[in-house]
Amino acid sequence: MDATNYLMRIGAAGDDPLDVLMRRHLETVPFENVSIHERDAVPLEDEALVGKVVDRRRGGFCYELNGAFAWLLGELGHEVARCSARVATPDGLSFPGDHMALVVDGHTLVDVGFGRFAVGPIDLDSRADQPDRSGVFTVRDAPDGELDVWWGDRAQYRLDPRTRSLRDFVPMAWWHRTSPTSPFTREVTCSMLTPTGRVTISGPKLIETADDGTRTERTLTAAEQRDVYRDVFGIVLEEVPPPLCPPS
């Protein structure tokens, strides 16, 4: 594996600061679950994750995207911890390991695998408001040394800053790929940051959201869906796979 090829994939340089590396990754590597619906199980191993992003020029979900980015940051000399997070839902916090985020150089939250989220790094040592292109983020202390990450007036997830290994996330990654109650098996989706907002395809719908909150939406034909996957996200599909576990 070669960090140079990874940097070329995201259009970045090895001496770019962390915020630039993160933004370029978000603008070039999509958050997508297409491979879940293609029944393509990518092992949570550095070589497989980097190969998917760099050689196959695909995206992925949190374990894949943050897993691959962690390898790149490590190759560039950063200290990287893979950390467990529980996502905030209307019913409370989800399970440990439901999300994987990165703590870089001891105190900086980096997350390129949560979909629509912070575009830049978040200082975990600060309790002040932290303005970001996508809004204002705040870190709050939680029980047992954990940290709650807020976006505006809504909690996003509770982070356990202790270092985990990739294999620690294998059970939850399997659940997300296979369970009919997983949010990733019920609809095919792909999303990526743009210079002015975000573009998303969810099922047959193309959704474009500007940084100011302006939103447009239209329904695509099957042929148009393939065109968008190819031309916008760089994913070439003979056909868009049906949902693995469509809602009943």
Side-chain angles (χ1 to χ4, degrees):
M1 296 189 294
D2 188 343
T4 301
N5 291 336
Y6 202 133
L7 291 167
M8 290 176 61
R9 162 76 166 101
I10 64 175
D15 57 355
D16 281 336
L18 189 56
D19 62 326
V20 174
L21 291 169
M22 185 175 173
R23 177 174 54 80
R24 292 301 300 139
H25 203 283
L26 290 166
E27 290 178 342
T28 55
V29 184
F31 178 90
E32 53 111 335
N33 68 356
V34 181
S35 58
I36 289 177
H37 301 274
E38 294 175 318
R39 301 178 187 272
D40 179 16
V42 177
L44 291 192
E45 301 169 358
D46 287 336
E47 186 172 358
L49 298 177
V50 173
K52 183 181 181 185
V53 170
V54 177
D55 301 327
R56 294 168 55 190
R57 302 189 71 81
R58 291 291 296 265
F61 62 142
C62 69
Y63 313 106
E64 298 171 315
L65 297 180
N66 283 324
F69 197 43
W71 177 86
L72 175 64
L73 294 178
E75 290 294 299
L76 296 178
H78 293 278
E79 177 187 335
V80 185
R82 299 164 180 85
C83 298
S84 169
R86 291 180 286 165
V87 178
T89 76
D91 298 321
L93 295 171
S94 64
F95 299 105
D98 186 36
H99 177 62
M100 183 175 79
L102 307 178
V103 175
V104 178
D105 299 329
H107 65 91
T108 304
L109 175 65
V110 169
D111 197 335
V112 296
F114 199 58
R116 188 166 177 257
F117 190 63
V119 175
I122 296 173
D123 184 355
L124 294 174
D125 288 343
S126 173
R127 300 297 176 263
D129 290 346
Q130 300 186 50
D132 180 85
R133 176 182 138 181
S134 61
V136 176
F137 288 82
T138 311
V139 178
R140 303 182 184 180
D141 293 309
D144 301 318
E146 296 186 329
L147 301 167
D148 286 340
V149 180
W150 286 67
W151 182 2
D153 60 356
R154 294 186 61 183
Q156 299 299 298
Y157 54 69
R158 178 165 291 178
L159 180 74
D160 180 345
R162 292 177 295 176
T163 301
R164 305 287 183 177
S165 69
L166 274 173
R167 70 170 62 92
D168 289 331
F169 296 95
V170 168
M172 283 305 299
W174 174 84
W175 182 86
H176 274 302
R177 290 199 314 265
T178 60
S179 173
T181 59
S182 163
F184 294 109
T185 61
R186 289 179 285 181
E187 189 164 63
V188 185
T189 189
C190 187
S191 184
M192 195 159 64
L193 187 73
T194 71
T196 57
R198 176 169 286 275
V199 59
T200 301
I201 185 168
S202 182
K205 294 182 180 179
L206 177 65
I207 304 164
E208 296 178 272
T209 308
D211 284 338
D212 64 4
T214 305
R215 175 187 169 107
T216 61
E217 181 180 314
R218 66 186 179 96
T219 301
L220 305 175
T221 66
E224 289 173 330
Q225 290 177 54
R226 292 194 299 273
D227 290 345
V228 168
Y229 274 105
R230 182 192 64 230
D231 299 338
V232 176
F233 302 108
I235 299 175
V236 178
L237 301 171
E238 291 186 6
E239 62 180 55
V240 179
L244 186 65
C245 304
S248 56

